Amino acid sequence: EDKVVQSPLSLVVHEGDTVTLNCSYEVTNFRSLLWYKQEKKAPTFLFMLTSSGIEKKSGRLSSILDKKELFSILNITATQTGDSAIYLCAAVTYTGTASKLTFGTGTRLQVTL
Amino acid sequence: NAGVTQTPKFQVLKTGQSMTLQCAQDMNHEYMSWYRQDPGMGLRLIHYSVGAGITDQGEVPNGYNVSRSTTEDFPLRLLSAAPSQTSVYFCASSYGRTAYEQYFGPGTRLTVT
């Protein structure tokens, strides 16, 4: 059974702090690792990671994948209250005819003033 | 583009009733999928489709049916609603036959009493 585990489950930080969110996976036929941000409603796409060791960056957010140790991290520097959200990671696997996503339970981040 | 649309936004059903959750996308995406999101469980895949006439089961398919007669629409049918199906349902789509960068609809909050 495919499994994706995120830690911590929740986190409260002060504005300006740097946070690291973790995602480990045990899946069959791994293809890629995705990160999403979910505020009040639908998840929105942040990053797709396919190759090990190559950092993806978007503003204050960055992410990296380690395919040997089967994990990814999402870093947020200089956090702002607008970063408060649930962060989801998902492993993309290939079934033989199509690909599908297995999500972790998410990390709830709260950024306070 | 409207993106991915879902109707209704909210629904209350009695145990044993049936209903269809509607999902449509106007991005000409081949890949469409349905997830349910429960507290502490993350997003779990119910069914997915890689094109018109092709559907497959995800992680939690029991109690749900899907069909894909057009590229644009992917309705989810609850055959006989149960309280365990109380959840938030998200439809998502992506380009081609892959589940990579999925675009999510706004969700349907379903309560079964």
Side-chain angles (χ1 to χ4, degrees):
Chain A
E1 184 183 334
D2 293 341
K3 194 174 174 185
V4 176
V5 178
Q6 292 187 245
S7 64
L9 290 180
S10 67
L11 194 54
V12 181
V13 300
H14 292 294
E15 200 171 49
D17 287 350
T18 293
V19 298
T20 298
L21 309 183
N22 304 295
C23 175
S24 64
Y25 60 92
E26 282 182 46
V27 300
T28 305
N29 293 325
F30 175 82
R31 287 294 180 266
S32 296
L33 195 290
L34 309 182
W35 283 96
Y36 283 85
K37 178 182 182 182
Q38 185 176 23
E39 294 177 87
K40 290 185 180 174
K41 288 193 175 177
T44 53
F45 175 79
L46 292 175
F47 296 112
M48 179 172 82
L49 303 153
T50 304
S51 302
S52 244
I54 298 175
E55 186 183 52
K56 291 270 181 104
K57 283 198 73 156
S58 177
R60 296 175 294 102
L61 277 67
S62 63
S63 184
I64 198 160
L65 175 67
D66 186 327
K67 288 167 78 172
K68 185 179 174 188
E69 300 297 328
L70 307 183
F71 77 90
S72 174
I73 60 171
L74 175 69
N75 281 321
I76 309 174
T77 59
T79 52
Q80 301 171 357
T81 54
D83 295 325
S84 296
I86 297 172
Y87 290 84
L88 298 161
C89 72
V92 182
T93 58
Y94 186 65
T95 67
T97 54
S99 59
K100 63 186 179 108
L101 270 59
T102 300
F103 279 87
T105 53
T107 293
R108 182 182 294 273
L109 173 66
Q110 185 179 351
V111 182
T112 62
L113 291 171
Chain B
N1 282 352
V4 180
T5 57
Q6 290 183 238
T7 55
K9 288 194 172 75
F10 302 94
Q11 183 71 47
V12 179
L13 288 179
K14 290 188 167 45
T15 297
Q17 287 185 316
S18 62
M19 79 158 295
T20 299
L21 307 186
Q22 301 291 346
C23 174
Q25 51 88 12
D26 61 359
M27 298 174 281
N28 204 31
H29 285 169
E30 290 188 67
Y31 193 104
M32 295 186 75
S33 53
W34 277 102
Y35 298 88
R36 59 177 289 173
Q37 188 172 34
D38 303 295
M41 302 286 290
L43 285 157
R44 292 183 291 169
L45 182 65
I46 304 172
H47 286 285
Y48 63 101
S49 168
V50 297
I54 307 169
T55 64
D56 207 346
Q57 296 182 350
E59 187 184 347
V60 288
N62 292 342
Y64 308 95
N65 269 1
V66 291
S67 60
R68 184 97 178 269
S69 55
T70 67
T71 300
E72 294 77 21
D73 300 296
F74 190 43
L76 178 73
R77 294 184 193 83
L78 279 71
L79 308 170
S80 176
S84 60
Q85 294 179 304
T86 293
S87 189
V88 180
Y89 291 84
F90 288 102
C91 178
S93 72
S94 57
Y95 177 75
R97 293 193 161 204
T98 62
Y100 291 148
E101 184 180 343
Q102 293 206 321
Y103 294 82
F104 282 81
T108 294
R109 185 175 292 275
L110 176 69
T111 302
V112 183
T113 61

